[in-house]
Amino acid sequence: ELLLQARGLHKGFGSTPALRGASVVVRRGEQLAVTGPSGSGKSTLLHCLAGTLLPDAGWVSYDGHRLDGLSADARTRLRRVHIGLVLQFGQLVPELTALENVALPLLLEGRRRADAAEAARQWLDRVGIAGRADATPAELSGGEQQRVAIARGLVSSPSVVLADEPTGALDTVGGEQVVQVLVKATRETGAALVVVTHDHRLAAWMDREVVLRDGQTVDTEADA
Ligand code: ADP
Ligand code: ADP
């Protein structure tokens, strides 16, 4: 059963074409690696899937609902239900503690403060940094920041987690551990996972790989 479909995505920045007809499909619970060299359009594709960037042509749908057919409000709601984002370098709010960063998506959904804090505490425990709940991002190592970002991406039980270069900012061993945390956590919750990475080795941990080259995808499932 298809959860996410993206068809024929085109996106340019000025005269630079970042995507030139990229297509991807993701099934419920599937783990997909999108690999390709730097500049091939991976970040642009991820942001189109997240709805944070609108393609010039082509479309993205979740559960049969096309993002471009929705109002801004409806798109935001759909994003909250379906999509967990884990961005490069964590992109945590520097003024908030690890716990507050993880609780933030739940507070934005209108959950009670105590419930949000409890859920955030459980997620920090699941990603192995329960003891760092009160630290600010500046006090955390790169790997710890990425774990906080993973917890924040998963705390609202999304049906798919979109992750941008989870190993990007880290050394190899730390990077591998972070990806293991991400793979394990999504398998446990049943969320689908789309990892965008230049690191081809990561594909071995996923169910399937889509390769991006010069803004075009080779996805045998989407093309079928
Ligand atoms: P990747 O993630 O594979 O490195 P990107 O999606 O970041 O690729 O970039 C694809 C191409 O689009 C590159 O040539 C990049 O410089 C360009 N690009 C991406 N984002 C922007 C932007 N916001 N403004 C201008 N050019 C951009
Ligand atoms: P990646 O590791 O994915 O290649 P980049 O360093 O290329 O990451 O891009 C980081 C951010 O900067 C992305 O959000 C991307 O859209 C944006 N970006 C990339 N290239 C350009 C550019 N030429 N001009 C403006 N923004 C860019």
Side-chain angles (χ1 to χ4, degrees):
E1 184 198 356
L2 292 184
L3 171 68
L4 160 62
Q5 290 190 73
R7 300 277 176 181
L9 297 179
H10 287 255
K11 181 70 185 178
F13 298 99
S15 58
T16 309
L19 294 179
R20 301 185 301 134
S23 295
V24 176
V25 298
V26 182
R27 293 196 180 74
R28 230 165 249 293
E30 187 175 36
Q31 302 201 319
L32 183 73
V34 177
T35 63
S38 183
S40 59
K42 300 184 300 294
S43 288
T44 305
L45 175 63
L46 193 91
H47 283 284
C48 285
L49 298 183
T52 45
L53 201 58
L54 284 179
D56 301 328
W59 51 266
V60 175
S61 75
Y62 285 88
D63 254 351
H65 300 287
R66 274 174 61 154
L67 288 179
D68 57 330
L70 300 173
S71 67
D73 275 359
R75 194 152 56 226
T76 301
R77 276 199 303 276
L78 178 136
R79 228 171 16 228
R80 284 192 186 138
V81 173
H82 282 298
I83 304 171
L85 268 182
V86 180
L87 294 175
Q88 227 171 347
F89 311 121
Q91 300 203 4
L92 305 174
V93 181
E95 293 81 12
L96 300 181
T97 65
L99 184 89
E100 289 165 343
N101 265 283
V102 176
L104 196 55
L106 297 178
L107 295 176
L108 292 174
E109 280 174 20
R111 293 269 293 272
R112 286 180 45 233
R113 207 161 190 86
D115 292 348
E118 177 56 27
R121 203 169 288 285
Q122 283 176 13
W123 266 106
L124 287 176
D125 190 26
R126 286 176 84 160
V127 300
I129 50 168
R132 307 292 279 141
D134 296 325
T136 60
E139 295 166 339
L140 299 171
S141 71
E144 288 172 338
Q145 289 180 36
Q146 281 301 85
R147 285 165 195 254
V148 174
I150 290 169
R152 184 182 57 181
L154 278 144
V155 75
S156 36
S157 310
S159 49
V160 59
V161 175
L162 306 174
D164 194 1
E165 293 284 8
T167 64
L170 306 168
D171 63 276
T172 308
V173 175
E176 276 189 20
Q177 286 172 351
V178 165
V179 174
Q180 271 172 20
V181 168
L182 186 60
V183 167
K184 182 164 173 283
T186 48
R187 284 221 195 280
E188 282 173 7
T189 64
L193 176 63
V194 178
V195 173
V196 157
T197 177
H198 68 278
D199 193 342
H200 179 73
R201 292 171 308 166
L202 242 174
W205 305 27
M206 305 287 151
D207 298 324
R208 209 153 61 77
E209 178 180 17
V210 168
V211 180
L212 251 184
R213 258 181 230 301
D214 298 328
Q216 292 180 313
T217 37
V218 182
D219 182 353
T220 47
E221 309 260 333
D223 296 335

